[in-house]
Amino acid sequence: MGRHGGAVQRGRTTVAGFAVGLLVVVGVGGWQAWERLGPGSGARAVAATCVDPTEVSVATTAPMRAPLEQVARTADPGCWRFTVTAEAATTSARRLETRAPDAPAVWVADSAPLAREVAATTEGVRVGSVLASTPVLLAVPEGLEAPSPVTWAATLVAEDSRMPDPTTSTVGSLALMEGFGEIDALPGDRRSAALARVGGMLSRVVPEETLLTSHAGQGDAAIFPTTEQQVHSAHVDGLTVRRATSTTPALEYTAVTSATTPSGAVDALVSAASSPEGQRILRAAGFRTATDPSPVVEGAPPAAALAGAASPAQARAAQQMWAAIARPTRLLNIIDTSGSMRSPADGGASRIEVAAAASSGANQLLADHNSVGLWTFSTKQRGSVDWTEVQPVRPLGSGDQRSRLAFSLGSLPTRLGGDTGLYDTVDAGYAAMVKGYDADAVNLMVLFTDGVNDDTTGGLSLAQLKARLAKAADPKRPVTVLLIGMGGVDAKALAPIASAVPRGGGGGAAVFTVDRPQDIADVYVTMLLRRLPKG
């Protein structure tokens, strides 16, 4: 029975034989001869056959499993018995980080940034050689067209695109990272327009393994990011590839070891992958190798055009963005319908029209799993009550909630009148959000107003509002409040209200000013999507 894990036991030894004409002595001397020649020496130590080979577990992703298994068979078979399994790179990373008992002895990661991040945060983990690579390209089935120009940003928001899940797919993570970087660099109006379409991505995310079997010209044809290697292996008629005009990232299959990796095992595997036979196996499987980095499929870029690996910080930011997009939002929009909202904003539209359009744009930014409601406020809307629940907070994908919100927003210009009962409304809205808190969602209250508190019928003072908010707050139910000033209202005038909102548990408030509907995209993205760091 083979040995498992741990350091190699050097006293258990070898039987005599010849290796490249060299007599290897039986016993410890024979093992030392193997060590001197080693897997990296260029001489195959096939004559020194270990009596009891060491079992070595190797984890990689599905596209690399079969060729790596073939490569492993060519490594010194007497001393090592490699077992190669396939799983998501994030799964392997998690097992190494937590030092799980079933963590692989060798991890051939398809993400160099992820491998480096694990090594930087986990004692004993080391990043070694790159065994092979493959660029990430845009697959275009026959009858469909790529965006013009071909960018990752355009791919993310294209309605005929599909995306592999970024939480389990390095291809999806890279496409997301590059796409958000491109969107973030767009000029104002174009950036806002792109961001308004980001929410639709969720409905287009599919398991990576279905892309080339279900979306490459089959019933649900779509454009999608994939690798050159996967296109090569799939042999789908009519499928072409395009490279992005911005950047072409690549998957770099990197050998990673931990403190429990048997001594010499990774050297034997890397040596086998670097040998002429190993390079032939990897190339035949569709990967680019050190000895032949040329394109594997027609339309793929040359090696010189491939981008360098992303930094761990960029990769982490992409995952954070995706988590923010995928996590539901429970949103209550509250819009000022006092008489002054009839006044024009920048561009000729009235303030109420800008607020309604901004709220409508936010609804478009959010996918169906998010919940949205609508209130209005002024003074004495219902007897002495300054606010009205126009639409309760419900999932956008539930029944006709989207159309109900659209109709109600369109009717706001007919609801204008009265003064600005701001404090009472903030108090009521915050209490309602705490009461209806959803632990699985971002709980967000957004209030549009063109003025400060002006409640001629009485109502709360600022000190009373602060006391009531503190009483209603629950650190286990944090609520974020966005106060959006319009019509030239000074952000400093709204700051005291923001300061009154409790910050316990991650809640709190922020103040923004907008005068154009498209500006609201930046506000929501700042709060929900966490902008990608520059550089």
Side-chain angles (χ1 to χ4, degrees):
M1 176 166 253
R3 288 175 283 123
H4 296 262
V8 174
Q9 299 179 19
R10 298 182 178 176
R12 308 184 66 143
T13 72
T14 60
V15 281
F18 287 87
V20 242
L22 175 67
L23 178 64
V24 180
V25 181
V26 178
V28 175
W31 181 255
Q32 290 171 341
W34 154 246
E35 282 196 306
R36 287 195 299 273
L37 289 173
S41 66
R44 297 280 297 159
V46 294
T49 304
C50 299
V51 173
D52 194 9
T54 301
E55 302 276 356
V56 181
S57 62
V58 182
T60 188
T61 51
M64 177 58 83
R65 188 196 64 77
L68 190 60
E69 206 167 47
Q70 293 181 53
V71 167
R73 292 194 199 107
T74 71
D76 178 51
C79 292
W80 312 106
R81 185 178 294 128
F82 294 99
T83 301
V84 184
T85 58
E87 63 185 14
T90 50
T91 300
S92 299
R94 192 178 309 114
R95 291 201 287 159
L96 284 171
E97 287 174 324
T98 60
R99 296 180 174 85
D102 60 348
V106 180
W107 173 33
V108 179
D110 68 352
S111 171
L114 180 59
R116 289 198 294 268
E117 183 175 0
V118 173
T121 58
T122 310
E123 185 178 357
V125 173
R126 298 288 182 269
V127 178
S129 305
V130 173
L131 305 187
S133 66
T134 183
V136 178
L137 306 169
L138 182 63
V140 184
E142 188 174 10
L144 297 183
E145 295 185 1
S148 181
V150 181
T151 65
W152 295 115
T155 301
L156 290 185
V157 301
E159 293 185 0
D160 63 347
S161 69
R162 297 293 180 272
M163 283 286 297
D165 187 345
T167 62
T168 57
S169 163
T170 301
V171 171
S173 179
L174 286 173
L176 184 76
M177 181 183 67
E178 299 294 347
F180 267 103
E182 292 169 6
I183 289 174
D184 206 50
L186 290 172
D189 288 354
R190 290 178 58 199
R191 181 177 182 273
S192 298
L195 289 170
R197 299 165 62 190
V198 163
M201 283 192 340
L202 281 174
S203 63
R204 299 191 296 272
V205 171
V206 299
E208 184 173 17
E209 60 270 18
T210 68
L211 288 172
L212 286 155
T213 59
S214 301
H215 306 287
Q218 299 87 346
D220 186 21
I223 62 174
F224 54 88
T226 188
T227 66
E228 178 185 48
Q229 186 274 334
Q230 291 189 56
V231 171
H232 167 85
S233 298
H235 303 293
V236 177
D237 292 337
L239 186 68
T240 59
V241 296
R242 299 285 302 277
R243 59 170 291 198
T245 56
S246 47
T247 186
T248 302
L251 272 59
E252 295 179 326
Y253 285 83
T254 307
V256 181
T257 59
S258 71
T260 61
T261 303
S263 176
V266 72
D267 290 336
L269 187 60
V270 170
S271 180
S274 304
S275 71
E277 177 62 8
Q279 296 280 283
R280 185 198 66 76
I281 291 170
L282 293 171
R283 181 72 185 182
F287 290 100
R288 298 191 184 195
T289 64
T291 56
D292 189 357
S294 62
V296 177
V297 301
E298 185 177 352
L306 303 188
S311 70
Q314 288 175 309
R316 188 164 51 252
Q319 291 296 334
Q320 289 173 340
M321 286 183 185
W322 181 250
I325 293 171
R327 186 182 181 190
T329 296
R330 184 173 181 271
L331 168 65
L332 174 59
N333 281 318
I334 304 178
I335 298 181
D336 185 347
T337 53
S338 62
S340 59
M341 290 290 284
R342 293 190 181 93
S343 301
D346 288 354
S350 67
R351 295 171 187 173
I352 192 64
E353 289 171 335
V354 170
S359 183
S360 177
N363 294 344
Q364 294 175 27
L365 180 67
L366 299 171
D368 284 351
H369 71 302
N370 299 283
S371 298
V372 180
L374 175 65
W375 287 15
T376 61
F377 78 100
S378 53
T379 51
K380 286 188 172 181
Q381 289 204 350
R382 296 177 295 117
S384 61
V385 177
D386 294 336
W387 52 271
T388 299
E389 181 184 64
V390 181
Q391 294 295 338
V393 178
R394 288 184 295 212
L396 288 171
S398 172
D400 56 355
Q401 181 69 350
R402 282 190 186 273
S403 60
R404 283 176 176 271
L405 288 167
F407 177 81
S408 296
L409 289 168
S411 71
L412 291 186
T414 68
R415 296 172 175 264
L416 301 183
D419 296 313
T420 310
L422 185 55
Y423 293 165
D424 284 13
T425 303
V426 171
D427 171 51
Y430 185 85
M433 288 298 291
V434 172
K435 181 179 180 180
Y437 182 82
D438 182 351
D440 295 325
V442 175
N443 292 263
L444 182 64
M445 179 178 119
V446 179
L447 186 145
F448 295 84
T449 185
D450 69 344
V452 296
N453 188 67
D454 181 23
D455 192 345
T456 55
T457 63
L460 299 173
S461 67
L462 180 59
Q464 289 172 326
L465 171 63
K466 185 173 183 178
R468 288 178 64 87
L469 292 177
K471 185 177 180 179
D474 182 346
K476 295 181 179 179
R477 296 185 165 205
V479 174
T480 299
V481 177
L482 304 188
L483 300 171
I484 300 181
M486 307 176 61
V489 63
D490 190 345
K492 292 181 181 178
L494 298 176
I497 303 175
S499 298
V501 176
R503 299 183 176 276
V511 177
F512 297 87
T513 56
V514 300
D515 284 301
R516 302 179 305 164
Q518 55 265 40
D519 292 338
I520 194 61
D522 279 341
V523 173
Y524 280 90
V525 168
T526 298
M527 298 304 297
L528 299 178
L529 304 187
R530 309 180 192 181
R531 293 179 60 183
L532 187 67
K534 305 293 185 184

